[in-house]
Amino acid sequence: MIFPCILSGGIGSRLWPLSRKDRPKQFLPIFNGESLFQKTCHRVRGDAFAEPIVIGNNDHRFLMGEQLTEIGVEADTILLEPMGRNTAAPAAMAAIIAAEKDPDALVLLLPSDHLIGREDLFLKAVRDAAPAADAGRIVTFGITPSEPNTGYGYIRLMAGEAPVREVEAFVEKPDLETAKTFLSAGNYVWNAGIFLYSARAMIEAFETHQPELLAAIRAAMATRSRDLDFTRLDSETFSRIENISIDYAIMERAKNVSCVPVSPEWDDLGSWSAIWGVLDKDARGNSGLGDVRFLNADNCLAYADEGLVSVIGLEDIFVIATRDAVLVSHKDKAQDVKKIVEQLEAEGRSETKAHPRAYKPWGYTERISSGDRFSVQSMMIRPGQNLTLQSHLHRAEHWIVVSGTVEITINGEVRLLTENQSAFVPLGAKHKLFNPGKIPVRMIEVQSGTYLDEDDIVRHTGA
């Protein structure tokens, strides 16, 4: 049995303003309503695969749970990292989890932010790699290069035509001239960061090449505890794990490394130019997402989160409009979006961190408007979910139900509100919300007071 391990780290800052710290690129539903995370989960379903192990950032736990629920996937484990520690630690943690279930298990380690157009070719490559992995090889998947790309690391392969090839070396991201020589040589492939290995072989590789790192990982795994659908790790113990990639920690040291070259129409979608490259286009090369219009424009990309975006008389331009930020860039400068993000972060701007929509264990909130002493947001509460009993020291709230039925409790008084009904929560009142129905509750919440930040919450126990 193959245990897929889906890695859901990273931010994707070059896809700002759509990709942000609280909802990075792998969770953006821009591919026919699905996200890259969901596509990755779909990719590894079937009789050959166990339920996935998902390893991701603690801050994204509700996003991971929500998106798994949307596509009907129940993860074997959702392991929450208190902080990012690159890819070596997840590779070992996945091996430990899989070995607990089956000492001979195979683990397919794959990022959640890659797009694969020919999934049939990718799955064939996994099948080709399985016998080598069963035999103790650590198998990586190399993408046959289509261009001298300088944004990827490369793998140099031994000569041959076999589906599974020996690896001569891992090569850092090259300059353009070097990349051109790699392309003409014919025995270099892009390093996709996807691996297939037996749990036993990976643990042995860590024991041989990274014993101290493995000891730190095992110490962190010994602190595992359940929290709802998630598995948590002690933050202080986890922080002692070295921040290092699986390539540096193991792949460049181990002698039992093989590679399967494959051409599955793969892209890591690291920039808006890459997104434009994979989207459908009109007769003049334009791609639009949302309510978008083009007039006398060529090779442009426009995204409208809400409202209308029109592009007139431009060529090779990207316009990305979200509710609270707009990016306009020439296609050749797509990589420089990261520089804008760094500048905004240095200024302490919130637009790099938070989307207007914030996911919660019970649903989500979405900012509508705010100003001096007031804030308006919409709320969605999933069926059977509730907000805990709480009060506020600096604000009052007014609730208006848009659809569904919600049970409200204010200072011990319980009643039902239905569509078009409202309730007032005075400053300091203990209150909570519960959705007893079968459909989501949608509400508008108006907050007013001297201090409206999220940390003005006093939580209470009891009814």
Side-chain angles (χ1 to χ4, degrees):
M1 183 67 71
I2 298 175
F3 285 79
C5 178
I6 299 170
L7 304 184
S8 184
I11 297 171
S13 59
R14 286 175 295 175
L15 293 182
W16 183 84
L18 204 54
S19 180
R20 306 188 191 185
K21 288 183 178 179
D22 70 350
R23 191 176 63 167
K25 71 172 182 176
Q26 62 266 31
F27 299 115
L28 303 175
I30 58 177
F31 300 96
N32 297 320
E34 277 197 339
S35 69
L36 291 171
F37 175 79
Q38 291 172 317
K39 285 184 172 295
T40 305
C41 293
H42 275 310
R43 189 174 303 135
V44 289
R45 300 192 75 180
D47 294 340
F49 298 102
E51 294 297 339
I53 299 165
V54 178
I55 301 179
N57 191 295
N58 175 67
D59 293 341
H60 304 148
R61 61 194 182 280
F62 301 129
L63 269 172
M64 291 185 284
E66 180 82 15
Q67 294 208 347
L68 287 168
T69 299
E70 285 178 359
I71 60 174
V73 172
E74 184 174 349
D76 174 271
T77 303
I78 304 177
L79 184 63
L80 303 179
E81 294 183 297
M83 62 213 58
R85 280 296 179 263
N86 218 307
T87 54
M93 293 190 297
I96 291 169
I97 293 170
E100 291 171 348
K101 302 173 185 301
D102 177 4
D104 297 317
L106 298 183
V107 176
L108 179 63
L109 190 76
L110 62 168
S112 63
D113 58 354
H114 293 177
L115 184 67
I116 294 180
R118 291 291 306 275
E119 294 190 348
D120 57 326
L121 295 181
F122 173 74
L123 294 174
K124 179 182 182 302
V126 173
R127 292 193 298 270
D128 289 341
D134 275 325
R137 307 293 294 180
I138 300 175
V139 184
T140 184
F141 296 85
I143 306 300
T144 305
S146 57
E147 60 181 4
N149 196 299
T150 61
Y152 304 134
Y154 284 71
I155 303 170
R156 186 169 72 244
L157 304 178
M158 295 281 286
E161 298 296 331
V164 182
R165 307 264 290 277
E166 296 298 307
V167 171
E168 283 192 339
F170 287 83
V171 184
E172 295 289 337
K173 297 175 182 177
D175 58 32
L176 183 58
E177 289 306 312
T178 304
K180 289 178 179 178
T181 65
F182 289 171
L183 194 65
S184 60
N187 63 328
Y188 286 82
V189 291
W190 292 334
N191 185 356
I194 303 172
F195 306 94
L196 181 70
Y197 52 85
S198 72
R200 190 191 312 274
M202 184 57 72
I203 292 171
E204 289 176 354
F206 271 83
E207 288 172 341
T208 301
H209 304 289
Q210 296 287 347
E212 292 183 3
L213 176 58
L214 180 61
I217 292 168
R218 280 178 164 155
M221 292 293 280
T223 70
R224 279 176 286 176
S225 62
R226 292 286 294 180
D227 179 13
L228 301 175
D229 295 329
F230 309 110
T231 300
R232 291 187 176 275
L233 300 169
D234 177 70
S235 179
E236 182 178 350
T237 307
F238 188 82
S239 69
R240 301 188 189 112
I241 295 173
E242 184 181 358
N243 186 355
I244 186 173
S245 72
I246 186 63
D247 288 335
Y248 286 135
I250 299 297
M251 304 304 290
E252 294 184 2
R253 301 168 184 260
K255 304 301 182 184
N256 57 330
V257 178
S258 300
C259 180
V260 176
V262 62
S263 303
E265 298 178 10
W266 170 92
D267 202 310
D268 72 347
L269 299 181
S271 68
W272 282 115
S273 57
I275 296 288
W276 172 80
V278 301
L279 293 176
D280 293 335
K281 300 172 182 63
D282 64 18
R284 299 184 65 162
N286 300 306
S287 295
L289 294 168
D291 195 0
V292 170
R293 300 292 185 275
F294 296 100
L295 178 64
N296 296 326
D298 295 282
N299 302 320
C300 291
L301 168 64
Y303 173 88
D305 197 7
E306 61 180 41
L308 170 66
V309 170
S310 298
V311 179
I312 303 173
L314 297 177
E315 182 178 353
D316 297 330
I317 294 296
F318 299 152
V319 181
I320 313 300
T322 66
R323 175 175 291 181
D324 60 346
V326 177
L327 167 72
V328 181
S329 169
H330 192 278
K331 188 168 64 175
D332 293 344
K333 300 298 181 181
Q335 299 294 332
D336 289 342
V337 174
K338 188 173 184 178
K339 296 178 181 178
I340 284 289
V341 172
E342 291 169 351
Q343 179 179 326
L344 294 172
E345 287 181 339
E347 297 171 4
R349 298 291 297 251
S350 64
E351 290 90 345
T352 65
K353 301 176 180 64
H355 279 270
R357 177 175 292 188
Y359 286 88
K360 309 289 185 178
W362 42 263
Y364 62 77
T365 63
E366 189 161 5
R367 297 193 308 272
I368 296 174
S369 181
S370 62
D372 185 32
R373 297 181 59 89
F374 81 91
S375 178
V376 183
Q377 65 180 6
S378 64
M379 302 171 62
M380 186 279 285
I381 307 172
R382 295 197 305 270
Q385 298 297 311
N386 64 275
L387 282 70
T388 57
L389 186 67
Q390 58 189 253
S391 62
H392 308 290
L393 297 175
H394 303 285
R395 73 174 186 251
E397 296 175 343
H398 197 104
W399 299 327
I400 305 98
V401 178
V402 177
S403 63
T405 298
V406 63
E407 178 186 281
I408 68 168
T409 302
I410 303 176
N411 284 336
E413 180 185 348
V414 182
R415 59 192 174 105
L416 293 177
L417 292 183
T418 59
E419 185 174 331
N420 292 325
Q421 293 183 323
S422 63
F424 176 67
V425 184
L427 186 151
K430 294 181 180 179
H431 59 279
K432 67 177 181 178
L433 295 164
F434 170 64
N435 180 357
K438 302 296 184 183
I439 64 172
V441 167
R442 300 187 184 277
M443 303 171 52
I444 301 295
E445 179 182 78
V446 180
Q447 304 172 352
S448 60
T450 57
Y451 183 82
L452 304 175
D453 286 356
E454 280 293 303
D455 58 357
D456 179 25
I457 295 180
V458 180
R459 301 195 186 278
H460 306 276
T461 58

